[in-house]
């Protein structure tokens, strides 16, 4: 269009080479998905769709607005995604918004019952079917057919994911609107109200705390945990008085909450149920810090209840009170869906997919087609199928891909490529609420200008994630392996958090992330824990050093 406003373009250079499939690709804005996939992505995860696969096209079709597709491109080994603008014919646009505005309030009001009564049982059944297959006793042909079934089930799970996402967004948007109409501008009370005080995250913290309390009730057992490192505890616990029963409880905890890795949106990372080291580290940390779950959850409930009371007291127009209470009630019921859909979909489905792939990998190792079962993730979907029944060289493909991933890990990815226009920057909603655009885009321009002038960035600009003021010692955390370095009261500085990082929140007093928007994981969980947080700094992990005050 002649009047299309372009804010910037970048199609690659010697430092950041890009292979473009078409001019149409170059005309989209491709942004780095550090929210879900901050690390170099495996060939298998990328090739079977990840979160951005056919389900995104489905949800734009189902709801009729917001875009027409959400696609992915691998650049420099990392995932970049692009939202394709809507293709609705001009004469139908107003009517489609009428449709959207008519059906969405129904989603907001009725979805939670469907989630509890239909979708959660379905998701549990899908996860169980993925891993209940008899890989050892079945032929490779049967195993590959099971793989195809699992890919269908994964797609089904993420169709549910997007229905939930839009239903919850509607409930949140309706409460946001009535809050501003009845109470006033969005403020700290609104932030405190829109926190989930009852969900699977809190359940996991409660049950780990119960194990911690049992340990602390036995002076000898407490001393054993405090005086040994995690590796020694895991090896020797069964031989300590009362240790075998305690180990059974930890194993049960892992079975309930351990279907997740420390990086959720991938297949390559070991699950807690495979290696419970993070669980033992969390429990040991709770003992050392005397973590008090009851005090924390009660504080969360108290702060929320008080914020609701203050907000209701500020309603001047009594005709709006009933509507406020109705939208508040709906939104409160929907709040747990953010952590709970992570638990049942993002974490559990990908985790069970990993175990399914490893079942096939074991057959390939036994047949001499792979050296290591983990190498299956270094193959693409089509490479796996090509090598399952032929002499196609899977080993060399896996070795090459692993080397490429290791090389990519040494590079710092750019934040965006392609063409940034008005719609992509200011109208497409997901980049704003989850990735912190347009602020992130303009920060990258400032950074590039500073670097070109050989200047040093002295001030970090960020997006508010959770209200509050705190002073403390910075602890830069580049991976979950460094959680044990966190000390009580540290301010954690990291690229991004995800559900696997929840165990670190009981220690820290503040959080600073490179990426994210107001509804990203670090912002939402920080509000739940009452921790001050800023997100979307773009460079905090490069500028702030461990030990800085």
């Amino acid at each position: 269009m002649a009047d299309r406003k372009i804010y910037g373009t970048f199609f690659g250079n010697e430092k950041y080479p890009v292979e473009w499939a078409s001019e149409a690709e170059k005309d989209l804005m491709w942004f780095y998905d550090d929210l879900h996939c901050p690390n170099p992505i495996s060939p298998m995860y990328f090739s079977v769709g990840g979160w951005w696969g056919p389900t995104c096209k489905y949800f734009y079709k189902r709801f009729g607005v917001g875009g027409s597709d959400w696609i992915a491109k691998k650049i420099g080994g990392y995932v970049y995604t692009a939202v394709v603008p809507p293709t609705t014919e001009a004469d139908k646009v107003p009517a489609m918004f009428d449709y959207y505005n008519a059906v969405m309030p129904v989603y907001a009001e009725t979805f939670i019952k469907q989630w509890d009564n239909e979708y959660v049982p379905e998701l549990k059944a899908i996860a169980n079917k993925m891993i209940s297959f008899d890989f050892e006793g079945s032929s490779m042909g049967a195993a590959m057919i099971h793989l195809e079934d699992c890919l269908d089930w994964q797609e089904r799970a993420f169709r549910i994911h997007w229905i939930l996402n839009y239903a919850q967004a509607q409930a949140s948007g309706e409460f946001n609107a009535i809050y501003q109409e009845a109470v006033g501008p969005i403020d700290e009370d609104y932030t405190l109200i829109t926190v989930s005080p009852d969900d699977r995250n809190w359940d996991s913290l409660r049950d780990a705390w119960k194990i911690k309390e049992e340990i602390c009730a036995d002076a000898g057992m407490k001393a054993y945990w405090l005086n040994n490192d995690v590796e020694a505890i895991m090896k020797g616990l069964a031989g300590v008085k009362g240790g075998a029963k305690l180990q059974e409880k930890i194993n049960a905890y892992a079975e309930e909450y351990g279907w997740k890795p420390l990086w959720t949106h991938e297949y390559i990372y070991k699950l807690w149920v495979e290696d419970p080291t993070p669980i033992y580290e969390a429990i040991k940390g709770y003992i050392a810090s005397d973590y008090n779950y009851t005090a924390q959850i009660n504080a969360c409930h108290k702060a929320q209840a008080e914020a609701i009371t203050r907000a209701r007291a500020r309603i001047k127009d009594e005709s709006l009170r009933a509507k406020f209470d109705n939208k508040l009630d709906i939104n409160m019921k929907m709040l747990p869906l953010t952590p709970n859909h992570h638990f049942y979909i993002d974490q559990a489905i990908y985790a069970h997919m990993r175990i399914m792939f490893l079942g096939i990998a074991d057959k390939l190792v036994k047949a001499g087609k792979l050296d290591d079962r983990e190498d299956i993730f270094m193959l693409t979907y089509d490479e796996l199928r090509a090598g399952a029944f032929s002499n196609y060289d899977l080993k060399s493909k896996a070795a090459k891909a692993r080397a490429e991933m290791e090389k990519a890990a040494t590079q710092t990815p750019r934040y965006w490529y392609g063409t940034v226009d008005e719609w992509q920057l200011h109208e497409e909603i997901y980049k704003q609420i989850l990735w912190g655009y347009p602020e992130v885009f303009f920060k990258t321009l400032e950074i590039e200008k500073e670097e070109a002038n050989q200047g040093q960035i002295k001030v970090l600009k960020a997006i508010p994630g959770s209200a509050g003021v705190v002073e403390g010692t910075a602890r830069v955390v580049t991976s979950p392996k460094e959680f044990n370095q966190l000390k009580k009261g540290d301010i954690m500085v990291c690229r991004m958090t995800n559900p696997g990082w929840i165990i670190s929140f009981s220690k820290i007093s503040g959080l600073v992330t490179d990426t994210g928007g107001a509804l990203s994981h670090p912002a939402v969980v920080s509000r739940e824990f009452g921790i001050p947080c800023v997100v979307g700094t773009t460079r905090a992990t490069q500028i702030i050093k461990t030990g800085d005050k």
Side-chain angles (χ1 to χ4, degrees), residues 327-377:
K327 298 305 180 185
L328 171 64
D329 179 63
I330 292 172
N331 192 50
M332 292 286 286
K333 291 175 180 176
M334 298 288 273
L335 286 172
L337 291 185
T338 296
N340 288 354
H341 90 261
H342 288 152
F343 183 85
Y344 290 110
I345 302 177
D346 301 65
Q347 295 176 48
I349 296 301
Y350 287 144
H352 286 77
M353 286 290 287
R354 169 180 163 80
I355 299 303
M356 177 277 297
F357 273 115
L358 290 176
I360 295 174
D362 288 338
K363 299 180 80 66
L364 294 172
V365 170
K366 187 174 181 179
K369 293 176 179 290
L370 288 178
D371 292 326
D372 188 312
R373 66 199 307 244
E374 297 286 344
D375 285 345
I376 193 170
F377 304 115

Short mmCIF file of all heavy atoms in Angstrom, two decimals, residues 327-377:
data_model
loop_
_atom_site.label_atom_id
_atom_site.label_comp_id
_atom_site.label_asym_id
_atom_site.label_seq_id
_atom_site.Cartn_x
_atom_site.Cartn_y
_atom_site.Cartn_z
N LYS A 327 -17.84 -9.19 36.26
CA LYS A 327 -16.61 -9.34 35.47
C LYS A 327 -15.44 -9.75 36.35
O LYS A 327 -14.55 -10.50 35.92
CB LYS A 327 -16.29 -8.05 34.73
CG LYS A 327 -17.37 -7.62 33.73
CD LYS A 327 -17.67 -8.71 32.72
CE LYS A 327 -18.75 -8.28 31.73
NZ LYS A 327 -19.14 -9.38 30.81
N LEU A 328 -15.44 -9.27 37.60
CA LEU A 328 -14.41 -9.68 38.55
C LEU A 328 -14.52 -11.17 38.82
O LEU A 328 -13.51 -11.90 38.81
CB LEU A 328 -14.55 -8.90 39.85
CG LEU A 328 -13.68 -9.38 41.03
CD1 LEU A 328 -12.20 -9.20 40.71
CD2 LEU A 328 -14.05 -8.63 42.30
N ASP A 329 -15.72 -11.66 39.06
CA ASP A 329 -15.94 -13.08 39.35
C ASP A 329 -15.47 -13.96 38.18
O ASP A 329 -14.78 -14.96 38.40
CB ASP A 329 -17.42 -13.32 39.64
CG ASP A 329 -17.71 -14.79 39.94
OD1 ASP A 329 -17.18 -15.31 40.94
OD2 ASP A 329 -18.45 -15.41 39.16
N ILE A 330 -15.84 -13.57 36.96
CA ILE A 330 -15.43 -14.35 35.79
C ILE A 330 -13.91 -14.35 35.65
O ILE A 330 -13.28 -15.39 35.44
CB ILE A 330 -16.08 -13.79 34.51
CG1 ILE A 330 -17.59 -14.01 34.54
CG2 ILE A 330 -15.46 -14.42 33.26
CD1 ILE A 330 -18.33 -13.32 33.42
N ASN A 331 -13.31 -13.17 35.82
CA ASN A 331 -11.86 -13.07 35.66
C ASN A 331 -11.12 -13.86 36.74
O ASN A 331 -10.12 -14.52 36.46
CB ASN A 331 -11.43 -11.60 35.72
CG ASN A 331 -10.00 -11.40 35.26
OD1 ASN A 331 -9.59 -11.88 34.21
ND2 ASN A 331 -9.21 -10.72 36.07
N MET A 332 -11.62 -13.83 37.97
CA MET A 332 -10.98 -14.58 39.06
C MET A 332 -10.99 -16.08 38.77
O MET A 332 -10.02 -16.79 39.05
CB MET A 332 -11.71 -14.30 40.38
CG MET A 332 -11.55 -12.87 40.88
SD MET A 332 -9.92 -12.53 41.55
CE MET A 332 -10.00 -13.41 43.09
N LYS A 333 -12.09 -16.57 38.19
CA LYS A 333 -12.16 -18.00 37.85
C LYS A 333 -11.20 -18.35 36.73
O LYS A 333 -10.71 -19.49 36.66
CB LYS A 333 -13.59 -18.35 37.44
CG LYS A 333 -14.59 -18.32 38.58
CD LYS A 333 -16.00 -18.58 38.09
CE LYS A 333 -17.01 -18.54 39.23
NZ LYS A 333 -18.41 -18.69 38.74
N MET A 334 -10.92 -17.38 35.86
CA MET A 334 -10.06 -17.65 34.70
C MET A 334 -8.57 -17.48 35.02
O MET A 334 -7.72 -17.99 34.30
CB MET A 334 -10.43 -16.72 33.55
CG MET A 334 -11.85 -16.89 33.03
SD MET A 334 -12.06 -18.42 32.09
CE MET A 334 -11.56 -17.85 30.45
N LEU A 335 -8.24 -16.76 36.09
CA LEU A 335 -6.84 -16.46 36.38
C LEU A 335 -5.95 -17.71 36.47
O LEU A 335 -4.82 -17.69 35.98
CB LEU A 335 -6.73 -15.64 37.68
CG LEU A 335 -7.15 -14.18 37.58
CD1 LEU A 335 -7.17 -13.54 38.97
CD2 LEU A 335 -6.20 -13.40 36.66
N PRO A 336 -6.40 -18.80 37.10
CA PRO A 336 -5.53 -19.98 37.18
C PRO A 336 -5.20 -20.62 35.84
O PRO A 336 -4.30 -21.46 35.76
CB PRO A 336 -6.34 -20.95 38.06
CG PRO A 336 -7.27 -20.09 38.83
CD PRO A 336 -7.63 -18.98 37.90
N LEU A 337 -5.92 -20.23 34.79
CA LEU A 337 -5.69 -20.88 33.50
C LEU A 337 -4.32 -20.58 32.91
O LEU A 337 -3.81 -21.36 32.11
CB LEU A 337 -6.78 -20.48 32.50
CG LEU A 337 -8.18 -21.02 32.81
CD1 LEU A 337 -9.14 -20.66 31.69
CD2 LEU A 337 -8.15 -22.54 32.99
N THR A 338 -3.71 -19.46 33.28
CA THR A 338 -2.36 -19.19 32.76
C THR A 338 -1.37 -20.25 33.24
O THR A 338 -0.77 -20.95 32.42
CB THR A 338 -1.89 -17.78 33.15
OG1 THR A 338 -2.74 -16.82 32.53
CG2 THR A 338 -0.45 -17.54 32.67
N PRO A 339 -1.17 -20.43 34.55
CA PRO A 339 -0.26 -21.51 34.97
C PRO A 339 -0.80 -22.91 34.68
O PRO A 339 -0.01 -23.82 34.39
CB PRO A 339 -0.11 -21.28 36.49
CG PRO A 339 -1.31 -20.49 36.87
CD PRO A 339 -1.65 -19.63 35.70
N ASN A 340 -2.12 -23.08 34.73
CA ASN A 340 -2.65 -24.43 34.54
C ASN A 340 -2.57 -24.91 33.09
O ASN A 340 -2.36 -26.10 32.84
CB ASN A 340 -4.09 -24.50 35.05
CG ASN A 340 -4.16 -24.45 36.56
OD1 ASN A 340 -3.13 -24.47 37.24
ND2 ASN A 340 -5.36 -24.36 37.10
N HIS A 341 -2.71 -24.01 32.13
CA HIS A 341 -2.54 -24.48 30.75
C HIS A 341 -1.07 -24.76 30.47
O HIS A 341 -0.74 -25.66 29.70
CB HIS A 341 -3.16 -23.50 29.73
CG HIS A 341 -2.27 -22.44 29.21
ND1 HIS A 341 -2.26 -21.15 29.71
CD2 HIS A 341 -1.34 -22.44 28.22
CE1 HIS A 341 -1.39 -20.42 29.04
NE2 HIS A 341 -0.81 -21.18 28.14
N HIS A 342 -0.16 -24.04 31.12
CA HIS A 342 1.25 -24.39 31.02
C HIS A 342 1.47 -25.80 31.56
O HIS A 342 2.20 -26.61 30.97
CB HIS A 342 2.12 -23.41 31.81
CG HIS A 342 2.22 -22.06 31.20
ND1 HIS A 342 2.45 -20.92 31.94
CD2 HIS A 342 2.13 -21.64 29.91
CE1 HIS A 342 2.49 -19.87 31.14
NE2 HIS A 342 2.30 -20.29 29.91
N PHE A 343 0.84 -26.09 32.69
CA PHE A 343 1.04 -27.38 33.35
C PHE A 343 0.55 -28.53 32.48
O PHE A 343 1.24 -29.54 32.30
CB PHE A 343 0.31 -27.37 34.70
CG PHE A 343 0.49 -28.61 35.52
CD1 PHE A 343 1.59 -28.76 36.35
CD2 PHE A 343 -0.43 -29.64 35.47
CE1 PHE A 343 1.77 -29.91 37.12
CE2 PHE A 343 -0.27 -30.80 36.23
CZ PHE A 343 0.83 -30.92 37.05
N TYR A 344 -0.66 -28.40 31.94
CA TYR A 344 -1.29 -29.50 31.22
C TYR A 344 -0.94 -29.54 29.73
O TYR A 344 -1.08 -30.59 29.10
CB TYR A 344 -2.81 -29.44 31.37
CG TYR A 344 -3.30 -29.77 32.75
CD1 TYR A 344 -3.83 -28.79 33.58
CD2 TYR A 344 -3.22 -31.07 33.25
CE1 TYR A 344 -4.29 -29.10 34.86
CE2 TYR A 344 -3.66 -31.38 34.53
CZ TYR A 344 -4.19 -30.38 35.33
OH TYR A 344 -4.63 -30.70 36.59
N ILE A 345 -0.51 -28.41 29.17
CA ILE A 345 -0.24 -28.39 27.72
C ILE A 345 1.24 -28.15 27.45
O ILE A 345 1.96 -29.07 27.07
CB ILE A 345 -1.12 -27.33 27.01
CG1 ILE A 345 -2.60 -27.62 27.27
CG2 ILE A 345 -0.84 -27.35 25.50
CD1 ILE A 345 -3.56 -26.61 26.68
N ASP A 346 1.70 -26.91 27.65
CA ASP A 346 3.09 -26.58 27.28
C ASP A 346 4.09 -27.52 27.95
O ASP A 346 5.02 -28.00 27.30
CB ASP A 346 3.42 -25.14 27.67
CG ASP A 346 2.49 -24.13 27.01
OD1 ASP A 346 1.29 -24.15 27.31
OD2 ASP A 346 2.97 -23.34 26.20
N GLN A 347 3.92 -27.77 29.23
CA GLN A 347 4.86 -28.65 29.93
C GLN A 347 4.57 -30.12 29.65
O GLN A 347 5.43 -30.86 29.16
CB GLN A 347 4.78 -28.39 31.44
CG GLN A 347 5.22 -27.02 31.88
CD GLN A 347 5.02 -26.81 33.36
OE1 GLN A 347 5.40 -27.64 34.19
NE2 GLN A 347 4.41 -25.70 33.72
N ALA A 348 3.36 -30.54 29.97
CA ALA A 348 3.07 -31.98 29.95
C ALA A 348 3.08 -32.57 28.55
O ALA A 348 3.62 -33.66 28.34
CB ALA A 348 1.72 -32.25 30.63
N ILE A 349 2.49 -31.89 27.59
CA ILE A 349 2.42 -32.47 26.24
C ILE A 349 3.80 -32.59 25.63
O ILE A 349 4.17 -33.64 25.09
CB ILE A 349 1.48 -31.65 25.34
CG1 ILE A 349 0.04 -31.71 25.88
CG2 ILE A 349 1.53 -32.14 23.90
CD1 ILE A 349 -0.55 -33.11 25.98
N TYR A 350 4.61 -31.53 25.70
CA TYR A 350 5.96 -31.62 25.15
C TYR A 350 6.80 -32.64 25.91
O TYR A 350 7.63 -33.35 25.33
CB TYR A 350 6.66 -30.26 25.19
CG TYR A 350 6.14 -29.27 24.17
CD1 TYR A 350 6.05 -27.92 24.47
CD2 TYR A 350 5.76 -29.69 22.90
CE1 TYR A 350 5.58 -27.01 23.53
CE2 TYR A 350 5.29 -28.79 21.96
CZ TYR A 350 5.20 -27.44 22.28
OH TYR A 350 4.75 -26.55 21.35
N ALA A 351 6.59 -32.75 27.23
CA ALA A 351 7.34 -33.72 28.02
C ALA A 351 7.00 -35.14 27.59
O ALA A 351 7.90 -35.99 27.42
CB ALA A 351 7.03 -33.53 29.51
N HIS A 352 5.73 -35.42 27.40
CA HIS A 352 5.33 -36.77 26.97
C HIS A 352 5.76 -37.05 25.52
O HIS A 352 6.08 -38.20 25.18
CB HIS A 352 3.83 -36.95 27.16
CG HIS A 352 3.42 -37.11 28.59
ND1 HIS A 352 3.34 -36.06 29.47
CD2 HIS A 352 3.08 -38.23 29.30
CE1 HIS A 352 2.97 -36.50 30.66
NE2 HIS A 352 2.80 -37.81 30.59
N MET A 353 5.79 -36.01 24.70
CA MET A 353 6.32 -36.17 23.34
C MET A 353 7.79 -36.57 23.40
O MET A 353 8.25 -37.41 22.62
CB MET A 353 6.14 -34.89 22.54
CG MET A 353 4.72 -34.60 22.09
SD MET A 353 4.12 -35.74 20.81
CE MET A 353 5.05 -35.16 19.37
N ARG A 354 8.53 -35.98 24.32
CA ARG A 354 9.95 -36.33 24.45
C ARG A 354 10.10 -37.82 24.76
O ARG A 354 10.90 -38.52 24.12
CB ARG A 354 10.60 -35.50 25.57
CG ARG A 354 11.99 -36.00 25.96
CD ARG A 354 12.64 -35.19 27.06
NE ARG A 354 13.73 -35.91 27.65
CZ ARG A 354 14.96 -36.00 27.14
NH1 ARG A 354 15.24 -35.40 26.01
NH2 ARG A 354 15.90 -36.70 27.75
N ILE A 355 9.33 -38.31 25.72
CA ILE A 355 9.43 -39.72 26.11
C ILE A 355 9.04 -40.62 24.93
O ILE A 355 9.63 -41.67 24.70
CB ILE A 355 8.56 -40.01 27.34
CG1 ILE A 355 9.04 -39.16 28.54
CG2 ILE A 355 8.60 -41.49 27.69
CD1 ILE A 355 10.49 -39.35 28.91
N MET A 356 8.02 -40.20 24.18
CA MET A 356 7.61 -40.97 23.00
C MET A 356 8.75 -41.05 21.99
O MET A 356 9.07 -42.14 21.48
CB MET A 356 6.37 -40.31 22.37
CG MET A 356 5.86 -40.96 21.09
SD MET A 356 6.73 -40.47 19.57
CE MET A 356 6.36 -38.71 19.52
N PHE A 357 9.38 -39.91 21.70
CA PHE A 357 10.49 -39.92 20.74
C PHE A 357 11.63 -40.81 21.22
O PHE A 357 12.27 -41.51 20.43
CB PHE A 357 11.01 -38.49 20.52
CG PHE A 357 10.28 -37.74 19.45
CD1 PHE A 357 9.53 -36.61 19.76
CD2 PHE A 357 10.35 -38.13 18.13
CE1 PHE A 357 8.86 -35.90 18.77
CE2 PHE A 357 9.69 -37.44 17.13
CZ PHE A 357 8.94 -36.32 17.45
N LEU A 358 11.90 -40.79 22.52
CA LEU A 358 12.98 -41.63 23.05
C LEU A 358 12.66 -43.12 22.89
O LEU A 358 13.57 -43.94 22.73
CB LEU A 358 13.25 -41.28 24.52
CG LEU A 358 13.89 -39.91 24.76
CD1 LEU A 358 14.02 -39.64 26.26
CD2 LEU A 358 15.26 -39.81 24.09
N GLY A 359 11.38 -43.46 22.95
CA GLY A 359 11.00 -44.85 22.70
C GLY A 359 11.37 -45.29 21.30
O GLY A 359 11.86 -46.41 21.08
N ILE A 360 11.16 -44.41 20.33
CA ILE A 360 11.56 -44.70 18.95
C ILE A 360 13.08 -44.71 18.83
O ILE A 360 13.67 -45.55 18.15
CB ILE A 360 10.94 -43.68 17.98
CG1 ILE A 360 9.42 -43.80 17.98
CG2 ILE A 360 11.50 -43.86 16.57
CD1 ILE A 360 8.71 -42.75 17.17
N ALA A 361 13.72 -43.75 19.53
CA ALA A 361 15.19 -43.64 19.47
C ALA A 361 15.85 -44.93 19.96
O ALA A 361 16.87 -45.37 19.40
CB ALA A 361 15.65 -42.46 20.30
N ASP A 362 15.31 -45.53 21.00
CA ASP A 362 15.89 -46.78 21.51
C ASP A 362 15.88 -47.87 20.44
O ASP A 362 16.83 -48.68 20.35
CB ASP A 362 15.12 -47.24 22.75
CG ASP A 362 15.38 -46.36 23.96
OD1 ASP A 362 16.41 -45.68 23.99
OD2 ASP A 362 14.53 -46.36 24.88
N LYS A 363 14.85 -47.90 19.64
CA LYS A 363 14.79 -48.90 18.56
C LYS A 363 15.85 -48.58 17.49
O LYS A 363 16.47 -49.50 16.93
CB LYS A 363 13.40 -48.91 17.93
CG LYS A 363 12.28 -49.27 18.90
CD LYS A 363 10.91 -49.27 18.25
CE LYS A 363 10.66 -50.55 17.48
NZ LYS A 363 10.57 -51.74 18.33
N LEU A 364 16.07 -47.30 17.23
CA LEU A 364 17.08 -46.91 16.24
C LEU A 364 18.48 -47.21 16.74
O LEU A 364 19.35 -47.63 15.96
CB LEU A 364 16.94 -45.42 15.91
CG LEU A 364 15.64 -45.00 15.20
CD1 LEU A 364 15.55 -43.49 15.11
CD2 LEU A 364 15.59 -45.62 13.80
N VAL A 365 18.71 -47.00 18.02
CA VAL A 365 20.02 -47.33 18.60
C VAL A 365 20.25 -48.84 18.52
O VAL A 365 21.33 -49.31 18.15
CB VAL A 365 20.11 -46.83 20.06
CG1 VAL A 365 21.37 -47.38 20.73
CG2 VAL A 365 20.11 -45.31 20.11
N LYS A 366 19.24 -49.59 18.87
CA LYS A 366 19.34 -51.06 18.83
C LYS A 366 19.61 -51.55 17.42
O LYS A 366 20.34 -52.53 17.20
CB LYS A 366 18.06 -51.68 19.37
CG LYS A 366 18.11 -53.19 19.53
CD LYS A 366 16.85 -53.72 20.20
CE LYS A 366 16.94 -55.23 20.38
NZ LYS A 366 15.71 -55.77 21.06
N ALA A 367 19.06 -50.85 16.41
CA ALA A 367 19.27 -51.23 15.01
C ALA A 367 20.58 -50.68 14.46
O ALA A 367 20.91 -50.94 13.29
CB ALA A 367 18.10 -50.71 14.16
N GLY A 368 21.34 -49.93 15.27
CA GLY A 368 22.62 -49.38 14.83
C GLY A 368 22.49 -48.13 13.97
O GLY A 368 23.47 -47.69 13.37
N LYS A 369 21.32 -47.54 13.93
CA LYS A 369 21.11 -46.36 13.09
C LYS A 369 21.47 -45.06 13.81
O LYS A 369 21.71 -44.03 13.18
CB LYS A 369 19.66 -46.30 12.62
CG LYS A 369 19.27 -47.43 11.66
CD LYS A 369 17.79 -47.36 11.31
CE LYS A 369 17.41 -48.46 10.32
NZ LYS A 369 17.99 -48.23 8.99
N LEU A 370 21.49 -45.08 15.16
CA LEU A 370 21.92 -43.95 15.97
C LEU A 370 22.87 -44.46 17.05
O LEU A 370 22.75 -45.60 17.51
CB LEU A 370 20.73 -43.25 16.64
CG LEU A 370 19.79 -42.42 15.78
CD1 LEU A 370 18.66 -41.87 16.63
CD2 LEU A 370 20.52 -41.28 15.07
N ASP A 371 23.79 -43.60 17.48
CA ASP A 371 24.71 -43.97 18.56
C ASP A 371 24.12 -43.66 19.93
O ASP A 371 24.41 -44.35 20.91
CB ASP A 371 26.04 -43.23 18.40
CG ASP A 371 26.82 -43.70 17.18
OD1 ASP A 371 26.73 -44.90 16.86
OD2 ASP A 371 27.49 -42.86 16.54
N ASP A 372 23.33 -42.60 20.00
CA ASP A 372 22.80 -42.13 21.27
C ASP A 372 21.32 -41.82 21.09
O ASP A 372 20.92 -41.21 20.11
CB ASP A 372 23.55 -40.86 21.70
CG ASP A 372 23.20 -40.42 23.11
OD1 ASP A 372 22.00 -40.36 23.44
OD2 ASP A 372 24.12 -40.09 23.89
N ARG A 373 20.50 -42.25 22.05
CA ARG A 373 19.06 -42.02 21.93
C ARG A 373 18.70 -40.54 21.81
O ARG A 373 17.72 -40.17 21.17
CB ARG A 373 18.32 -42.67 23.10
CG ARG A 373 18.61 -42.05 24.45
CD ARG A 373 18.25 -42.98 25.63
NE ARG A 373 16.90 -43.48 25.61
CZ ARG A 373 15.98 -43.20 26.54
NH1 ARG A 373 16.27 -42.37 27.54
NH2 ARG A 373 14.78 -43.74 26.48
N GLU A 374 19.49 -39.66 22.46
CA GLU A 374 19.21 -38.22 22.40
C GLU A 374 19.43 -37.65 20.99
O GLU A 374 18.93 -36.56 20.67
CB GLU A 374 20.08 -37.45 23.39
CG GLU A 374 19.83 -37.81 24.85
CD GLU A 374 18.53 -37.25 25.41
OE1 GLU A 374 17.96 -36.34 24.78
OE2 GLU A 374 18.07 -37.74 26.47
N ASP A 375 20.14 -38.40 20.14
CA ASP A 375 20.40 -37.91 18.79
C ASP A 375 19.15 -37.84 17.93
O ASP A 375 19.15 -37.20 16.87
CB ASP A 375 21.45 -38.80 18.10
CG ASP A 375 22.85 -38.55 18.61
OD1 ASP A 375 23.06 -37.51 19.28
OD2 ASP A 375 23.74 -39.38 18.35
N ILE A 376 18.07 -38.48 18.36
CA ILE A 376 16.85 -38.42 17.55
C ILE A 376 16.36 -36.99 17.40
O ILE A 376 15.76 -36.61 16.39
CB ILE A 376 15.74 -39.31 18.15
CG1 ILE A 376 14.60 -39.49 17.13
CG2 ILE A 376 15.23 -38.75 19.47
CD1 ILE A 376 13.58 -40.54 17.53
N PHE A 377 16.65 -36.14 18.39
CA PHE A 377 16.20 -34.75 18.34
C PHE A 377 17.06 -33.90 17.41
O PHE A 377 16.68 -32.76 17.10
CB PHE A 377 16.16 -34.16 19.74
CG PHE A 377 15.32 -34.96 20.69
CD1 PHE A 377 15.89 -35.61 21.78
CD2 PHE A 377 13.96 -35.10 20.48
CE1 PHE A 377 15.12 -36.37 22.64
CE2 PHE A 377 13.17 -35.85 21.34
CZ PHE A 377 13.75 -36.50 22.43
#
